[in-house]
Each structure stands twice: as C-alpha cells, then as structure tokens.
Amino acid sequence: MLDASLLQRVEQLRKELHYHNYRYYVLDSPVISDAQYDALMGELLALEAQHPDLVTPDSPTQRVGAAPAEGFAEVEHPLPLLSLANVFNPDQLHAWYRRAQELLEDRPFDMVCEVKVDGLAVALTYADGRFLRGATRGDGVRGEDVTPNLRTIRSIPLVVDSPGLPAQFEVRGEVYFPKSGFHKLNEGRIAQGEPPYANPRNTAAGSLRQLDPRITASRPLDIYVYALGYAEGGDMPDNHWNAMARLREMGFRTNPANQLCHTLEEAQDYFQRWLQEKERLDYGADGIVVKVNSLAYQQHLGVVGREPRWAVAYKFPATQQVTRLLRISVNVGRTGTLNPYAELEPVNIGGATVKMATLHNEDDIHRKDIRVGDWVVVERAGEVIPQVVAPVVARRTGQEQEFRMPGRCPACGEPVVRPPGEAATYCINASCPAQFARLLMHFVSKGAMDIEGMGEKLALALIDAGLVKELADVYSITREHLLTLERMGEKSADNIMSAIAASKARPPASVLYALGIRHVGYETAQSLVRRFGDLQKIVSASQDALEDVPGIGPKIAESIAAYFQREANRRGLERLVHAGLRTLEESAPQEARAAPLAGLQLVVTGRLKGMSRSQAEDRIKELGGSAGSAITRKTAFLVVGEDPGSKLEQARQQGTPLLSEEQFLQLLRTGVAPIP
Ligand code: IVH
C-alpha cells in the first residue's frame, strides 16, 4: 500500500538529514538552523511512525539507541588491528626514522603526523555504502560487535555515497569522550551524590560497551578516524595523507591537527607544538603518531609482531597514573586548618616519583568517594602539587575504609572544630606545636617580620629546644642560645641576631600581618593600619568599626575580632610591643600623614648594614615615595649599599644623584634630602 512518492519523500528526508548531520558533526559548519533540522527530523519520524516497515537501521532516526542486547557478539577483524611501538624522546624517534630510512635504502619519504587520541580503537565496516558493523579492537584479532552503540555517534556516517567507493571497506578510528562533556557528566554525578568517573578514556570505553544503547546515546561520544583498513575494489589514493582527505570527503570526521611532514625536524616540531597545546584540545591526547605516508613504502616496511615498522607513537610525558592509596594522613596548617593528604604507593608520573598528593578537604574526599585502600587516579601536571582525582571503583575489594576526619588535632591532641558552613576543620589551640611551627615560619617571612636566616630548620630547632614557645619569644633569643644549637656558627648567630634586631623597625602593617590572623593578608593589614593608625586601636575595635574599613567584609572583620577576643592573643601582642615592635604609624593616620618623599622614586643597590632591601623599600613607601627596581630618567636617588651592582655604573652614566646609607637614613629621619 506504499505509494512511490511516500518512499521518495522518506529517501529525500534521510539524504538531507545525513548531509546536515555531516555538516554539523563532522565539518562543524551547519548550513541550516537547529529548528530547520528538527522540522526535517520531525517529518521523517512521523512518516516512520505511520509506516514502521519503512524503518531501516541506517535511518537518521535510529541514532537514539536501540533496545538493550543480551551481550556482545564476537567479530573477527578481516585485518588485525595493530598496535604501535612507543618512543619517549627525540633520540628514540630519530632511531625509528633511521631504521625506516635504511630499509627504504635512503629513498626520501614523507610522514603524516597525527595527535594520538586517548580513547579506544574501533573498526567500522561499510558495504554498498551502508554502515554494516562496528567493532571494538578487542585483542586486535577479535573484538566485540558494538554496532547499535556506534550508530548513536552522530559523526559516524550511516550511509556513504561517493564516486569510486569500494564495494566493502573498513575505516578505523578512535572513539573518545570529549573533556567538556566529561566534566559536565561528573558535575552531574557529584550533584546526585554519585562518585565521579575517573577519566574520559575509561568512561568512553564504558559508554561504548553498554548493553543498553540508549545509555550510549546519552553520552556525547565522538570519533576521529585515522586509517582506512581493508578495501575491496574501488578507487582509493596510494598514500595515507590523500586517503585521509578522501575519507573526509566521504563524510568521516578526521582530525584537523593532522599534518604532512617532509623531514624529521618537522615531526619533532609537531611533537613540541602539541605538547604545548594539548591542554586546549577537547580530547585527551597522550602523544603523537608518526606514519610513513606512502602506502607502498608502508607495505615494504612491514610489520614485526603486532607493531608496524612504518608508524610509531611518540608519547607525551604522562600526567596521570593509577596507584594505591595507602593512608590518609592529616597535617595542621598555619591557621590551624587540618589538611588531609594521601600517602600513596610510590608511582612514577612523567619522570618524578610521587608518594603524596593533596586531598583538599573532608568534603572533597567524600564527594569523590575516595577510600583508604582504593586504587586511585593521581595527576601531576606541571608544577602544581599532585592531586588525587578519583578512585577506580571497579578495582574495589570491599576492604576499603571510608575516611573520617580525626576529632582531635593530630599534633596537640586537643579537640578540633568545624565551623558551620565551612569545608575546613580547625585546631583552635593557639599553642598547638604544629600550628605554631607554621605560624612562626610565617612570622619571620619576608612580607612579615623579614628575619633573614630564620628558615624552617632553625625555627623547628628553636621550638624543639623550648627556646620559642610563642611569637614574642623570638625577641628573647640570645646569641648564647643560638650557639647551643647544632651546626650554628658564630657568624650565622651574629647575622640572625642583627636580623632580629632590624625586624623591630618593621612597619605596623607588617607586624599585624605577621600575627597570622586568618584572612588577614598584607593588603588588609595595610588598610587597617591606614584607618586606625595604631595596632592597639585595632585590638579594641568593634566588628562594625572594622567592617567600615574599605576592602574588609564581615568574614575578615569577624576573624579579627575573634582573634583579639582571646586573652592569649592580646597578651602575645602586648609582649611583642614590649619587645620594641612598632604598633604606631609614626605620623597621623589617613591623609594627614606627612609624605616628604611624595613623587620621588628611589632605587636601592647593594647591601645595607641596618636593614634589608625590602625594609628600606617599605620605609620609602611609608614616606610617600616609590621604590624602583631599575634606574630610569624618573629615578631621583640611587641608594648605594655595600657591594653595589651594575646600577651604580648606570646611575653615574645618567647623572643620577647617589646617597650613602647614612645619607639615606638621614633622609628617612628628616624627610630632607642632603645635598649630594
Ligand atoms: S594508527 C598501525 N593513529 O593508539 C597503526 N592510532 O597505540 C595503528 N590511536 O590502537 C594505529 N590515535 O587506538 C593511530 N592517530 C592515530 C591514533 C591511534 C590514537 C590509538 C589506537 C591504537 C593505539 C596504538
């Protein structure tokens, strides 16, 4: 009962939809709007609903996923899917190239360089221009028939129409999970309280091996094809580069990053380029593949075992590895935060051994469902601290333990608190030794009291020896105390003593910052001192008064008020004041302060006897001047310390006035520049 015009219309709609699909999913350049596409699809769906016998497996309506299967059938690949030999450095790539050159008796050859997509290999078989079957790589000889799942990938053409098409042919490519879609999927899972997937590659494999194709259809899988497998008859190019161009014309999605290279240097450059740029790609890339272009040469070079001699994978240094999470330990940060971290079975990632990784905080551990004893994916990219990305749930034995934050501080044994609404747990015992060691490190650091020579080792030694129990104890240290410490020479002791003495000249903002109050950075400390003029006034300021200061919100104000509410903290500051630290901005607060150096730029070179470089620069700024790092026409004075650098010579050449340290101190005291 079917009339010819109905059949014709169905054919027409399918053809148009295939074409628009190709424009959209393969070429990424649609020529009709989404609404127009939906209208065509709607019409075809309606016709197929009225005439179910017209539905064919290659109809564009069939991409939504067929009914679930019982299992996967095994398919034998007509030609085995090969793997690739790996190389890891330029010399190894060179050796591969030399070997090919030798076997080709020094005939020159071109290469095609491709980004190696980190997904899973599939083979797509077409007969009479129709997508017949798709299989996973399996062991290279036999794979699984995942045709209904592959049909849901929109960039795989269901029909191909092109002059000179082989009667039957096979195309190979890499199915992958786009990174953007992967992050979206994981955000959704985390929001639902489900553990996130470990990485896009395994998720792509899992999605493709779903027995229910509707699940596959809901995942944004994509494919880049990278080779023509076998082909019966037809008219195909005799080199890989042109074969890829031909596949693209036929409707397959090929990688635009592919490049024809004539020399080994070009291939090396290609590697460097994609090593730099791989993070910007929307797919995981684990290296590049270099292939001899000529198919005749490929044949001549042949295959050893499973690896062709005509191609090689040049791998990027790994950034992720899987290893065992042995323990979750907790250390105590400067402001008392309990920081959980992972102790791992040592694993080499990109050339470095990784034994520890951060776990951020308790919520993050639970969100990712990371358990002690899990196999976990660890990532180390660039200079950042290694991170535990996710557990490998499939490798669980049931013996894994969920993590619980300890109820007591691992360093001092006092109870810890987790403020409502915060992700962090804190030890609030101000005399907790772990917390104190970090606080002391902060106190002596450059932006704070700037006590040069007091590094981590010395700070810990002073704490261990019981010489420093609270911050103010730094100013009770004597030269004799220092000399009792191991490996402390007279000269070092003298230097440290003068650094401690010099730190007493640090401005009040540095003192406030040095206290290590939670949320109070240097800028905040400066704003506070500018407003109040005197640290003592900040101690007794109400939360409202604090919030009134520009840049200070309720969170910071509350933290400051809470800090000074504690008797121990107030006493600590008093002791520091008693030791001679500056709490008072010498001149009046706010605008009224004198600025004798206003508009003057000073540059410091060499070592000053009485203060460090940054102390000198701070003093210049406090008096309204600016501190430069190079001599320019704007430089008003060059302050010359001991062992001056090349700046002195430059200043002489440019006629910049010079100041000795004495003259500089006089300028700071009086605000009047001496006549040079
Ligand atoms: S060519 C004989 N090209 O890497 C040639 N493979 O380690 C075999 N792969 O199983 C493959 N991107 O899954 C080739 N542009 C590319 C590739 C690529 C990813 C995968 C493929 C293969 C594995 C070999």
Side-chain angles (χ1 to χ4, degrees):
M1 287 292 288
L2 299 170
D3 67 50
S5 68
L6 171 68
L7 246 174
Q8 231 173 22
R9 181 62 188 154
V10 166
E11 286 300 317
Q12 175 70 23
L13 284 168
R14 285 181 186 159
K15 214 166 151 182
E16 283 187 30
L17 284 163
H18 282 311
Y19 175 70
H20 293 306
N21 222 31
Y22 168 67
R23 299 288 320 193
Y24 188 91
Y25 290 104
V26 178
L27 300 185
D28 204 6
S29 82
V31 287
I32 59 170
S33 69
D34 289 2
Q36 285 168 316
Y37 182 89
D38 291 345
L40 294 174
M41 184 62 101
E43 188 183 342
L44 180 60
L45 278 166
L47 291 176
E48 288 184 353
Q50 285 160 22
H51 306 278
D53 44 333
L54 279 187
V55 181
T56 57
D58 53 32
S59 169
T61 58
Q62 299 307 296
R63 301 223 190 234
V64 287
E70 295 285 314
F72 298 112
E74 216 182 58
V75 273
E76 191 158 334
H77 299 298
L79 283 177
L81 268 68
L82 300 174
S83 55
L84 289 170
N86 292 324
V87 296
F88 298 93
N89 59 47
D91 289 345
Q92 292 172 343
L93 182 66
H94 185 248
W96 168 82
Y97 181 80
R98 277 296 314 148
R99 178 87 182 112
Q101 242 179 355
E102 258 170 45
L103 292 166
L104 294 171
E105 290 160 1
D106 284 330
R107 277 181 286 248
F109 60 90
D110 288 341
M111 287 155 287
V112 177
C113 288
E114 301 174 359
V115 173
K116 188 166 183 297
V117 181
D118 196 12
L120 67 149
V122 295
L124 313 171
T125 307
Y126 288 77
D128 301 323
R130 286 175 196 282
F131 177 46
L132 184 69
R133 192 176 53 239
T136 60
R137 178 176 189 277
D139 62 5
V141 178
R142 262 173 290 266
E144 286 171 326
D145 184 338
V146 288
T147 314
N149 292 345
L150 286 168
R151 253 199 206 109
T152 69
I153 300 179
R154 316 254 159 175
S155 50
I156 295 181
L158 299 178
V159 286
V160 199
D161 186 14
S162 159
L165 199 68
Q168 183 150 342
F169 63 93
E170 182 203 47
V171 175
R172 293 168 177 188
E174 196 84 349
V175 169
Y176 67 91
F177 207 117
K179 286 197 243 171
S180 51
F182 179 72
H183 291 132
K184 254 216 220 80
L185 177 70
N186 267 351
E187 275 167 19
R189 286 182 65 85
I190 287 171
Q192 303 278 308
E194 289 164 313
Y197 289 119
N199 63 53
R201 199 256 283 255
N202 292 354
T203 314
S207 304
L208 199 58
R209 297 188 64 260
Q210 284 289 339
L211 287 174
D212 185 349
R214 285 168 297 200
I215 297 179
T216 315
S218 74
R219 306 271 167 85
L221 295 179
D222 214 333
I223 187 170
Y224 276 129
V225 304
Y226 55 66
L228 180 68
Y230 83 96
E232 265 175 42
D235 170 25
M236 293 301 281
D238 65 357
N239 69 53
H240 179 66
W241 181 250
N242 291 341
M244 295 307 287
R246 183 73 202 285
L247 286 175
R248 189 175 167 87
E249 280 163 24
M250 282 159 60
F252 293 95
R253 188 162 178 265
T254 58
N255 194 336
N258 295 355
Q259 186 180 313
L260 184 63
C261 294
H262 308 290
T263 64
L264 185 63
E265 286 67 40
E266 282 174 42
Q268 303 270 22
D269 289 349
Y270 184 88
F271 175 85
Q272 287 304 332
R273 168 166 172 219
W274 289 105
L275 177 60
Q276 300 291 319
E277 294 186 17
K278 70 182 160 88
E279 296 311 323
R280 278 193 256 147
L281 298 169
D282 197 27
Y283 53 88
D286 57 345
I288 67 165
V289 183
V290 185
K291 301 173 179 175
V292 171
N293 189 30
S294 153
L295 299 187
Y297 285 4
Q298 287 189 2
Q299 192 108 57
H300 182 79
L301 289 166
V303 175
V304 220
R306 284 286 172 81
E307 294 169 358
R309 275 194 293 235
W310 49 264
V312 71
Y314 185 2
K315 302 288 288 267
F316 295 140
T319 57
Q320 281 197 344
Q321 286 296 353
V322 172
T323 188
R324 272 299 274 287
L325 171 58
L326 303 174
R327 252 181 314 278
I328 295 182
S329 301
V330 175
N331 66 24
V332 189
R334 172 170 61 81
T335 54
T337 44
L338 265 58
N339 305 315
Y341 63 94
E343 292 191 48
L344 305 166
E345 204 157 272
V347 62
N348 186 306
I349 312 183
T353 304
V354 175
K355 293 188 209 127
M356 285 191 292
T358 67
L359 286 164
H360 305 290
N361 56 50
E362 190 181 6
D363 285 354
D364 210 53
I365 296 173
H366 293 314
R367 227 158 16 117
K368 293 179 177 167
D369 189 27
I370 294 166
R371 304 182 193 172
V372 177
D374 263 335
W375 288 90
V376 289
V377 178
V378 180
E379 182 167 270
R380 171 185 163 265
E383 295 309 307
V384 300
I385 304 168
Q387 300 200 22
V388 176
V389 179
V392 183
V393 177
R395 288 178 80 169
R396 284 207 171 133
T397 61
Q399 301 295 300
E400 297 74 16
Q401 302 277 318
E402 277 188 36
F403 170 73
R404 302 243 350 238
M405 199 56 137
R408 288 179 175 275
C409 170
C412 69
E414 290 290 309
V416 295
V417 295
R418 181 169 169 182
E422 281 200 43
T425 301
Y426 298 92
C427 167
I428 49 165
N429 171 17
S431 49
C432 167
Q435 204 179 319
F436 181 66
R438 283 195 176 71
L439 175 61
L440 183 58
M441 295 308 304
H442 167 75
F443 183 77
V444 302
S445 69
K446 216 165 158 48
M449 299 315 288
D450 193 17
I451 303 180
E452 229 185 294
M454 188 153 338
E456 187 167 359
K457 277 211 188 88
L458 177 57
L460 291 177
L462 288 166
I463 294 172
D464 279 350
L467 290 169
V468 177
K469 295 200 191 70
E470 54 178 299
L471 294 176
D473 292 340
V474 168
Y475 295 95
S476 316
I477 297 172
T478 64
R479 188 171 182 276
E480 288 63 43
H481 282 148
L482 289 175
L483 288 173
T484 62
L485 301 175
E486 235 177 277
R487 275 197 287 273
M488 175 65 67
E490 304 226 341
K491 182 131 189 3
S492 312
D494 286 341
N495 287 342
I496 290 161
M497 289 311 293
S498 33
I500 293 175
S503 77
K504 294 182 185 174
R506 297 289 282 161
S510 295
V511 176
L512 181 57
Y513 167 63
L515 297 178
I517 303 170
R518 200 181 298 158
H519 308 308
V520 179
Y522 187 70
E523 304 271 313
T524 303
Q526 263 185 328
S527 308
L528 286 161
V529 170
R530 235 177 270 137
R531 165 62 61 95
F532 292 94
D534 184 352
L535 295 194
Q536 308 285 12
K537 290 196 182 139
I538 300 173
V539 174
S540 50
S542 70
Q543 203 174 314
D544 282 349
L546 292 166
E547 261 186 65
D548 218 32
V549 179
I552 294 187
K555 195 164 117 186
I556 305 179
E558 192 193 327
S559 164
I560 300 167
Y563 181 89
F564 287 119
Q565 251 154 38
R566 284 179 71 102
E567 166 69 26
N569 291 338
R570 283 204 304 274
R571 222 173 354 115
L573 180 62
E574 250 162 55
R575 283 195 59 207
L576 288 170
V577 176
H578 196 71
L581 302 203
R582 293 175 51 202
T583 60
L584 200 62
E585 197 56 281
E586 254 115 66
S587 39
Q590 297 275 328
E591 299 76 23
R593 202 176 42 187
L597 300 187
L600 295 184
Q601 191 207 59
L602 279 76
V603 176
V604 183
T605 183
R607 230 176 317 107
L608 300 180
K609 292 195 285 283
M611 62 181 92
S612 74
R613 172 85 55 94
S614 66
Q615 285 169 344
E617 291 177 351
D618 281 351
R619 293 289 287 138
I620 293 169
K621 287 184 211 155
E622 279 167 42
L623 297 178
S626 66
S629 54
I631 306 280
T632 66
R633 269 180 292 119
K634 280 194 283 173
T635 310
F637 295 103
L638 176 68
V639 180
V640 186
E642 279 176 27
D643 298 327
S646 60
K647 286 190 193 116
L648 178 58
E649 192 46 46
Q650 266 177 294
R652 283 199 176 116
Q653 278 171 12
Q654 298 196 18
T656 310
L658 307 178
L659 292 181
S660 67
E661 182 165 350
E662 277 74 13
Q663 288 173 317
F664 174 58
L665 289 174
Q666 189 189 334
L667 172 65
L668 293 180
R669 266 197 314 275
T670 62
V672 181
I675 315 272

